[in-house]
Amino acid sequence: MERRIVHIDMDAFFASVEVVRDPSLKGKPLIIGGNKEDIRGVVSTASYEARKFGVHSAMPLVQAKKLCPHGIFMRGHISHYREASRKIRAILETVTPHVQMASIDEAYMDVSGSQRIFGGDDGIATYIKGEITAQTGLPCTVAITANKLVSKVASDEGKPDGYLRVATGEERAFMAPLAVRKLPGAGPRTCDVLEGLGIVTLGQLAHFDLVPLECAFGHQTAISLQRRAQGISTSEVEVERAAKSISRETTFPEDVSGWEQVEQTLAYLTERCMYTLREEGLEAKRVILKVRYSNFETKTFAHTFADATAIDCVVTTALQELIEKGKRRCARIRLIGVGLDQLRYNQHQMPLFGGKNNEKWERVLEKADAVREKHGFKYLRSGKSLGLGREVKLAPPSLSR
Ligand code: TTP
Ligand code: MG
């Protein structure tokens, strides 16, 4: 089977997400990284309109303001970008399970096995771009070639809103005219040395005498540079497996007889589990309560949801019923734990029942998570877990996975 690899990269990602949320920003020079008052800090994304003024990622904001004084500056919303990233991933996984998210806005996919169903490279690209437009409204660039290296280079060449295909066997010809600075992994210092040797294009690098390259970079690097310049790469798409379960548990310093403290601790552990669950873009179909009594007897009680969830109150309601089961045994408690399993990537599908209510919670939790991301988990807690006080100190083994 012929190996075909996709590289997809979203165009001006953070800026594009903001434009979808506020269409009045469309066509304007938009700069994400900080607002007009932020003097420190750097540009994380510039819209293509802002790039015309010379503004680019990693540029100090002060400089960006000089180049583009009429630009719209904003700090941005990382939780929105994460959510968009999750949606994109879910779309890509409808093409193949072999998806590797390389960063928040780019992915590699091994589509060798999807060729026939989707109608070859062109069919795959049309499908991916079509679905992403329909479901998110975001622009992206897709490249399909024989390997990850060439696809990465090609998607950069195809930007913005593009599709570029390099037929298998054409890698070398495709790479040859490009500047050495286009080679991933060839940093500014390497490129300076190459240019010092008179090497400007990847074609020149591929054919250059090995000896001076070895003198400059050492044998291994010289060989690797030349291979890569020809578009040769064997690295595989590495599918990151989602966690199978997320759990948090703690042993009390002394066995506890009152359930109030147990329930507060459990609320805290659940909050932590749920935060991690959402952070990883997952939702759970099952929650498990684990109780170890003073005689070391350990019991687990599980509840399976009709629909997978990432919403705290859905899980705590289920846990409340499980707690009642745990209470039936009149013994002191040594350890308490909560686990989530049957995980899957959050598809943000509207549940059949209670849809409106869940939607409201999703929005609230998204805001809460954004606050935690900024100030730390402790900054925002709720419900029974507050009964533990401001500083929660759990005895080991706590918060184990
Ligand atoms: P990139 O894919 O490098 O850039 P981009 O999506 O803004 O633009 P394009 O791909 O069309 O050239 O990075 C993706 C996101 O990562 C980007 O929107 C913001 C973030 N980012 C930073 O926060 N700091 C940086 O220095 C870079 C390069 C990116
Ligand atoms: Mg991008």
Side-chain angles (χ1 to χ4, degrees), residues 242-257:
K244 281 222 163 67
S245 67
I246 292 172
S247 65
R248 299 286 183 262
E249 61 181 46
T250 188
T251 304
F252 294 107
E254 280 171 41
D255 295 354
V256 173
S257 51

Side-chain angles (χ1 to χ4, degrees), residues 105-242:
D105 87 322
E106 67 179 307
Y108 294 98
M109 306 159 69
D110 189 327
V111 292
S112 313
S114 313
Q115 290 284 326
R116 218 180 292 156
I117 315 170
F118 286 87
D121 290 342
D122 295 354
I124 290 169
T126 307
Y127 172 83
I128 293 174
K129 284 179 70 87
E131 282 301 301
I132 290 182
T133 307
Q135 293 191 39
T136 71
L138 295 167
C140 66
T141 298
V142 173
I144 313 187
T145 84
N147 66 53
K148 283 169 80 174
L149 171 70
V150 178
S151 289
K152 169 90 181 165
V153 175
S155 71
D156 205 43
E157 289 303 295
K159 273 185 175 294
D161 195 18
Y163 162 52
L164 219 151
R165 170 179 191 273
V166 178
T168 301
E170 297 295 316
E171 297 80 24
R172 195 179 176 137
F174 167 74
M175 301 285 273
L178 303 178
V180 286
R181 287 179 196 268
K182 297 275 172 114
L183 189 67
R189 291 247 298 278
T190 301
C191 291
D192 287 346
V193 174
L194 289 173
E195 284 165 11
L197 290 168
I199 302 170
V200 180
T201 67
L202 293 173
Q204 290 171 323
L205 174 56
H207 292 109
F208 208 75
D209 187 8
L210 187 60
V211 179
L213 288 175
E214 282 177 324
C215 287
F217 303 106
H219 177 70
Q220 290 288 351
T221 307
I223 296 276
S224 156
L225 276 171
Q226 283 202 315
R227 280 173 60 87
R228 293 161 60 77
Q230 296 170 59
I232 300 170
S233 159
T234 53
S235 82
E236 302 274 341
V237 172
E238 286 161 26
V239 182
E240 172 204 344
R241 300 256 167 251

Side-chain angles (χ1 to χ4, degrees), residues 9-14 44-45 48 51 57-58 104-105 159:
D9 193 296
M10 306 305 292
D11 304 329
F13 184 49
F14 294 180
S44 65
T45 313
Y48 278 79
R51 289 181 200 191
S57 295
I104 191 167
D105 87 322
K159 273 185 175 294

Side-chain angles (χ1 to χ4, degrees), residues 191-341:
C191 291
D192 287 346
V193 174
L194 289 173
E195 284 165 11
L197 290 168
I199 302 170
V200 180
T201 67
L202 293 173
Q204 290 171 323
L205 174 56
H207 292 109
F208 208 75
D209 187 8
L210 187 60
V211 179
L213 288 175
E214 282 177 324
C215 287
F217 303 106
H219 177 70
Q220 290 288 351
T221 307
I223 296 276
S224 156
L225 276 171
Q226 283 202 315
R227 280 173 60 87
R228 293 161 60 77
Q230 296 170 59
I232 300 170
S233 159
T234 53
S235 82
E236 302 274 341
V237 172
E238 286 161 26
V239 182
E240 172 204 344
R241 300 256 167 251
K244 281 222 163 67
S245 67
I246 292 172
S247 65
R248 299 286 183 262
E249 61 181 46
T250 188
T251 304
F252 294 107
E254 280 171 41
D255 295 354
V256 173
S257 51
W259 270 87
E260 192 177 333
Q261 188 188 345
V262 175
E263 286 184 38
Q264 287 170 352
T265 308
L266 192 64
Y268 178 77
L269 297 173
T270 306
E271 230 175 357
R272 293 215 77 135
C273 265
M274 296 306 290
Y275 179 53
T276 306
L277 182 77
R278 286 190 299 273
E279 233 183 0
E280 301 203 359
L282 299 168
E283 51 190 12
K285 190 103 199 302
R286 195 165 77 137
V287 56
I288 302 144
L289 170 69
K290 177 174 170 183
V291 188
R292 181 167 297 150
Y293 300 96
S294 53
N295 63 353
F296 280 88
E297 188 192 350
T298 307
K299 286 224 168 242
T300 56
F301 308 92
H303 175 90
T304 303
F305 302 106
D307 288 300
T309 185
I311 296 172
D312 291 34
C313 67
V314 175
V315 172
T316 27
T317 308
L319 267 174
Q320 205 52 50
E321 280 180 24
L322 301 179
I323 287 169
E324 294 309 315
K325 292 185 185 165
K327 279 181 185 172
R328 280 182 206 152
R329 205 173 165 322
C330 288
R332 284 182 300 149
I333 313 296
R334 182 179 167 78
L335 169 149
I336 193 85
V338 59
L340 301 164
D341 69 2

